[in-house]
Amino acid sequence: MMKDMIALQLLPCVLFLTVLLAMSATSHAAALRLDLTHVDSGRGFTKGELLRRMAARSRARIDSRWSPPGRGANAHAVTAPVARGTVGKEDFNSEYLIHFSIGTPRPQRVALTLDTGSDLVWTQCFCQVCFPQPFPELDTSASGTARGVSCFDPLCAQGSFSLSGCAVGDNSCMYTDSYGDNSVTTGKLYEDTFTFQQAPNGKAAVVPNLRFGCGMFNTGIFGSNESGIAGFGRGALSLPSQLKVGKFSHCFTTIVESRPSPAFLGTPDNLQAQATGRLQSTPLVRNPESNHYYLSLKGITVGKTRLPFDASAFALKGDGSGGTIIDSGSALTSVPEAVYRSLVEAFESQVPLPVNKNNTDEHEGLLCFTASPKKKEIAMPKLILHLEGADWDLPRENYVLYTEEDGLCVVIGSAGEDNRSLIGNFQQQNTHIVYDLEHNMLVFVPARCDKL
């Protein structure tokens, strides 16, 4: 009886400690704030040059990235890294880099492409065949906490690699991962401590025992300002999965202003902080053939015109084709060719300016209107993406860009023969985008991203 009484007296304390520990875990996840840098940040490009670069990257990404469902050993892993140094067909792919460090006692810098379409986190190590990077490759021998992952570890066999197995001699996990643009990384799976330097307070969050790939043979289309890829997909090896956060988010600042963009692993509780509009949500749609995050797009409105396409034009097909992807790594939103032609007609009929036909090829087919500086603020038709349960009313600056060379350009492109639609990061500027994986929802709210 006495023991029961003591137990009952202690019960409130136990419950309090349980809640306190849960709150501590939640606040730790919420506190993990990182800075992203846009690939063209601080490089002195004019708005016209930025527009050309974004258009070229997006067009080439569509041409090279999307593999038909089922093609290749790892057809679902269909993204690859970041920017090139020159404009053109080789100047494309992902737009944002995430920066942190690996190892102890002296953490070593990595700069990885933020990729919501793949799982593996990897950086270059023990280079046999590698691409140039702006700082030394990772040296695991210099870390006191690095250890190789055994090939008998379940994640070696179940990590969604194109190929994995045992290394001769030490039974470490060897892997090969391939991407839709035919880029390939091969290396060994390691575990070490990650250090995230949180901005703006500068405090470090140190997380031990995270898995990552040491890429030894890396070929394909990679940029000179990255060292690998940070997968933010749904798989067990992605960064959000390993950190056991049920949410992650990003808030891209205005691209032409070259300011850092915040990303959160474990989203702040107050999503209304720095909000400038209404918070909305829409379901995430699963595609068994892809790691990407799909949405249910029902239609598009331009000004007074609802485009004559119903939800079937944007729907995910049974074979994994079609659908609408929200993508951190593509600059421009793109829609199937027939939808794009209708969108162009709607803008042309409602904008009282002549079409600039001189720069069509340079902008990969983007629609631009001839406009003097005095007319750059002329009213443009609204653009609304009708999602399941939400209407994404894009602010003007998220789909219109004025340059002196080109006039007023509608920053939306055609997907050509591809029947997928894609919502790019230009359209996501100054919007806090939350991937709520616990509830399988995408939450978004207009925000002052530079104030978060």
Side-chain angles (χ1 to χ4, degrees), residues 403-427:
T403 75
E404 292 185 0
E405 312 98 284
D406 315 304
L408 284 170
C409 293
V410 179
V411 191
I412 306 286
S414 168
E417 297 180 1
D418 187 11
N419 63 351
R420 304 176 204 249
S421 298
L422 184 148
I423 301 174
N425 57 50
F426 192 87
Q427 280 64 48

Side-chain angles (χ1 to χ4, degrees), residues 213-287:
C214 264
M216 302 159 60
F217 299 87
N218 312 301
T219 61
I221 302 172
F222 297 101
S224 60
N225 52 356
E226 64 183 315
S227 65
I229 296 176
F232 272 60
R234 295 180 180 271
L237 283 172
S238 76
L239 195 55
S241 294
Q242 291 196 68
L243 291 172
K244 296 180 173 58
V245 293
K247 300 175 184 177
F248 70 88
S249 68
H250 52 67
C251 199
F252 298 144
T253 56
T254 304
I255 290 173
V256 297
E257 295 179 358
S258 299
R259 286 178 290 186
S261 299
F264 300 89
L265 287 157
T267 303
D269 292 332
N270 184 13
L271 290 177
Q272 296 291 352
Q274 303 301 331
T276 59
R278 184 166 61 97
L279 185 146
Q280 298 185 79
S281 63
T282 187
L284 291 168
V285 179
R286 287 187 176 271
N287 181 356

Side-chain angles (χ1 to χ4, degrees), residues 30-70:
L32 192 51
R33 180 195 189 280
L34 311 172
D35 269 349
L36 307 174
T37 56
H38 188 269
V39 70
D40 288 333
S41 177
R43 300 177 72 178
F45 295 115
T46 67
K47 289 184 179 180
E49 290 169 334
L50 284 172
L51 182 62
R52 287 173 172 81
R53 290 171 66 80
M54 289 189 294
R57 282 197 294 265
S58 297
R59 178 69 261 167
R61 188 174 177 86
I62 292 168
D63 291 342
S64 300
R65 173 179 175 179
W66 305 118
S67 298

Side-chain angles (χ1 to χ4, degrees), residues 353 369-377 402-404 407-408:
L353 293 171
F369 295 94
T370 301
S372 66
K374 291 182 179 180
K375 293 187 176 182
K376 67 180 182 179
E377 300 298 333
Y402 175 80
T403 75
E404 292 185 0
L408 284 170

Side-chain angles (χ1 to χ4, degrees), residues 147-159 164 166 171 173 189 191 211 237:
R147 72 171 187 87
V149 176
S150 167
C151 61
F152 300 110
D153 188 294
L155 281 179
C156 188
Q158 302 169 13
S164 62
C166 293
N171 286 331
C173 178
L189 199 61
E191 181 179 285
R211 306 287 178 86
L237 283 172

